[in-house]
Amino acid sequence: MKMDLSPRLVTLAPAAPLPEPESPDRAARDELQTLTKRLAYDPASWGEEDRAAMTRRFDRLAESWATRDHPDYRYPLADALARGEIAPRGLCIEVGSGTGIQTPTLLDHFDAVICIEVAEQMLRHTPEGLGIALLADAAQLPFRDRCAAAIVCVNAPLFAPEYARVLASDGAVVVVSTRGAETPIFISPADTLAALQRLGDPTFGATTARAGPGTWTVARRAGNGARVAEPPPDPKDGQ
Ligand SMILES: C[S@@+](CC[C@H](N)C(=O)[O-])C[C@H]1O[C@@H](n2cnc3c(N)ncnc32)[C@H](O)[C@@H]1O
């Protein structure tokens, strides 16, 4: 038999699997975005029904959640810590840690990381030894006032009064949306800052940037490295 030696284009499989879209379901994305914005400005409206629905939704997704891990998925947080000039020390509270995809980045940066999850199945699918896992509701953090150097939310809701209560005077709230305004649990940089100023502490300022496929916002109280006094532009503008 004659071998075919003609030049061909050979395509190998991608070296890293492409990230799975977080929510191909637009209705689900819109529903979560509406809820997230409502919670940012009206955290007291978070009730038992909301909590139960959120828990059900993410308990169901827990088994396959780790398949979202991809360098693009981790990049916006890494950039937020670096360009957001987050001090590499102290206690970090990771809100809505899921299965811990972002936790190694935080463990490399802070002295200690406590992972808060409302969905038990997410914690069950978190590799052992990744931070200190706590089944709790971020709307009522089980911590004393001003103990955290950072509160980090990657695609997780913002409860402004509670985060302001727990955040150290010189601490930072870090909000990351891994797919920018396409992220289902999304709070725009402008809404992040406005909610923190209105419901947390009027001295909050923030820095924001796009990073790879995502966006991030780092908010601090005045005199602690906050560089933007006015709400930053909404990333939806100009897209
Ligand atoms: C979109 S997932 C993001 C998971 C993880 N941060 C990541 O980057 O892969 C949002 C997570 O926030 C959790 N969550 C939502 N509301 C919460 C609350 N009130 N308290 C604690 N966790 C919450 C959900 O259970 C879910 O696991």
Side-chain angles (χ1 to χ4, degrees):
M1 199 171 83
K2 242 176 128 191
M3 270 175 62
D4 180 7
L5 296 175
S6 56
R8 292 181 299 148
L9 177 66
V10 177
T11 306
L12 300 180
L18 291 172
E20 213 175 278
E22 258 180 67
S23 174
D25 179 347
R26 286 182 161 261
R29 181 201 63 190
D30 292 350
E31 188 193 320
L32 278 173
Q33 289 196 347
T34 302
L35 171 69
T36 309
K37 186 160 178 173
R38 191 194 89 205
L39 295 177
Y41 287 105
D42 185 11
S45 70
W46 170 251
E48 194 44 54
E49 235 173 77
D50 289 324
R51 185 168 31 246
M54 184 73 88
T55 303
R56 257 196 320 274
R57 183 189 293 270
F58 284 101
D59 271 344
R60 262 201 317 264
L61 293 171
E63 198 174 347
S64 64
W65 194 262
T67 62
R68 285 164 167 75
D69 195 1
H70 184 275
D72 282 355
Y73 193 63
R74 296 180 183 221
Y75 180 73
L77 173 61
D79 188 57
L81 298 178
R83 285 200 296 150
E85 298 176 7
I86 304 296
R89 68 186 76 90
L91 169 67
C92 167
I93 297 175
E94 183 185 7
V95 168
S97 52
T99 56
I101 295 174
Q102 314 287 347
T103 312
T105 305
L106 298 173
L107 284 167
D108 281 349
H109 195 86
F110 295 98
D111 293 327
V113 179
I114 299 184
C115 303
I116 300 289
E117 248 308 327
V118 82
E120 190 177 349
Q121 290 306 317
M122 284 292 198
L123 293 182
R124 288 197 186 282
H125 286 85
T126 299
E128 237 170 88
L130 263 193
I132 299 161
L134 216 53
L135 186 63
D137 186 344
Q140 283 181 300
L141 289 169
F143 302 111
R144 63 178 167 78
D145 295 358
R146 307 229 165 180
C147 67
I151 298 181
V152 174
C153 308
V154 182
N155 305 346
L158 173 72
F159 292 100
E162 190 60 351
Y163 298 177
R165 178 186 72 76
V166 168
L167 191 70
S169 316
D170 58 352
V173 176
V174 181
V175 172
V176 174
S177 304
T178 54
R179 292 200 297 145
E182 288 299 310
T183 312
I185 299 187
F186 169 73
I187 317 148
S188 75
D191 285 332
T192 300
L193 180 55
L196 282 167
Q197 286 178 335
R198 217 177 284 175
L199 303 174
D201 185 332
T203 72
F204 267 107
T207 305
T208 187
R210 293 184 187 201
T215 51
W216 55 258
T217 305
V218 167
R220 295 180 174 90
R221 294 181 171 92
N224 291 299
R227 287 187 298 179
V228 182
E230 295 301 316
D234 192 313
K236 279 182 177 160
D237 297 341
Q239 272 193 2

